[in-house]
């Protein structure tokens, strides 16, 4: 197997911060990464706050640029190696989202405790939505799964109902 291309600081940082919760869980007992993980946990990709500059991480960790890059690369490589083990990636939560196709956009609705995942082409009924359009059901357009930072996100895209189908 060919060695992976080395990532630049910004790409490496973004990859580590995207998965900071999972990295913390997987490597919490590894003293080599403790300070780096603690520092990375201060940041989240979904926040409006800027990511740390390299000079800030260097200062906060008290290491040289070469040592910081080596540490980040080693953590990234160790993370990838850990993923080859069965049940290696912890899932902390599952979110189910319905995205209902409206005129110009999708209307997102978070669902708690959905007991089944419909397939493409299945009919799906949400009374309060169907009443808005005087339709009997919505049809599943697609189902996508995303796994990020320990969260399994299931996105169910529903077609805008045809008024003729509801009559």
């Amino acid at each position: 197997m060919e060695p992976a291309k080395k990532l630049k600081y910004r790409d490496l940082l973004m990859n580590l911060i995207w998965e900071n919760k999972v990295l913390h869980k997987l490597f919490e007992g590894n003293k080599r990464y403790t300070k780096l993980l603690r520092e990375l946990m201060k940041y989240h990709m979904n926040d409006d706050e800027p990511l740390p500059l390299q000079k800030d991480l260097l200062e906060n960790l008290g290491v040289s640029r070469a040592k910081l890059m080596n540490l980040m690369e080693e953590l990234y490589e160790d993370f990838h190696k850990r993923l080859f083990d069965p049940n290696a990636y912890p899932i902390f939560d599952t979110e189910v989202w319905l995205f209902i196709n409206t005129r110009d956009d999708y209307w997102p609705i978070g669902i708690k405790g959905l007991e089944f995942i419909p397939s493409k082409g299945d009919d799906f009924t949400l009374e309060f939505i169907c009443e808005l359009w005087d339709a009997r059901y919505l049809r599943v357009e697609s189902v996508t799964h995303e796994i990020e930072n320990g969260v399994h996100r299931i996105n169910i895209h529903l077609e805008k109902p045809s008024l003729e189908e509801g009559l």
Side-chain angles (χ1 to χ4, degrees):
M1 189 162 108
E2 220 174 281
K5 178 182 155 190
K6 298 236 182 218
L7 296 176
K8 294 183 177 168
Y9 170 78
R10 188 91 176 142
D11 297 326
L12 196 52
L13 180 69
M14 288 182 3
N15 277 295
L16 294 175
I17 290 175
W18 270 119
E19 296 292 342
N20 62 12
K21 186 176 179 183
V22 171
L23 288 169
H24 184 74
K25 176 74 174 168
L26 291 175
F27 297 101
E28 64 187 337
N30 188 323
K31 291 181 183 182
R32 178 163 178 72
Y33 301 127
T34 301
K35 288 174 73 174
L36 176 61
L37 289 171
R38 194 174 322 129
E39 198 63 33
L40 293 176
M41 286 295 287
K42 296 177 183 177
Y43 302 94
H44 302 280
M45 292 302 293
N46 298 334
D47 288 349
D48 291 335
E49 298 294 319
L51 296 178
L53 299 174
Q54 190 175 38
K55 68 177 186 157
D56 295 331
L57 269 184
L58 293 172
E59 186 177 304
N60 291 347
L61 295 173
V63 296
S64 68
R65 182 186 185 288
K67 185 166 179 155
L68 173 65
M69 288 304 294
N70 285 337
L71 189 62
M72 290 173 69
E73 288 168 358
E74 287 172 18
L75 176 58
Y76 186 70
E77 287 176 25
D78 283 352
F79 175 57
H80 279 249
K81 287 177 189 172
R82 286 288 282 275
L83 295 181
F84 286 106
D85 294 333
N87 303 314
Y89 191 94
I91 299 294
F92 303 112
D93 195 13
T94 299
E95 296 177 358
V96 178
W97 289 91
L98 299 179
F99 290 93
I100 300 167
N101 190 350
T102 61
R103 287 187 185 117
D104 302 325
D105 205 0
Y106 281 92
W107 179 12
I109 299 174
I111 300 293
K112 178 110 175 131
L114 189 64
E115 293 182 18
F116 70 98
I117 304 300
S119 300
K120 180 178 179 177
D122 285 354
D123 295 334
F124 201 87
T125 302
L126 288 170
E127 291 300 324
F128 73 97
I129 302 277
C130 292
E131 287 178 20
L132 289 174
W133 286 307
D134 193 28
R136 290 194 181 112
Y137 58 86
L138 304 165
R139 182 149 293 145
V140 177
E141 186 175 41
S142 67
V143 178
T144 60
H145 297 261
E146 298 172 12
I147 297 176
E148 172 185 67
N149 209 16
V151 176
H152 176 204
R153 198 167 289 107
I154 303 167
N155 299 318
I156 303 168
H157 295 265
L158 301 170
E159 294 176 359
K160 181 176 148 189
S162 167
L163 295 180
E164 296 159 8
E165 292 176 23
L167 299 175

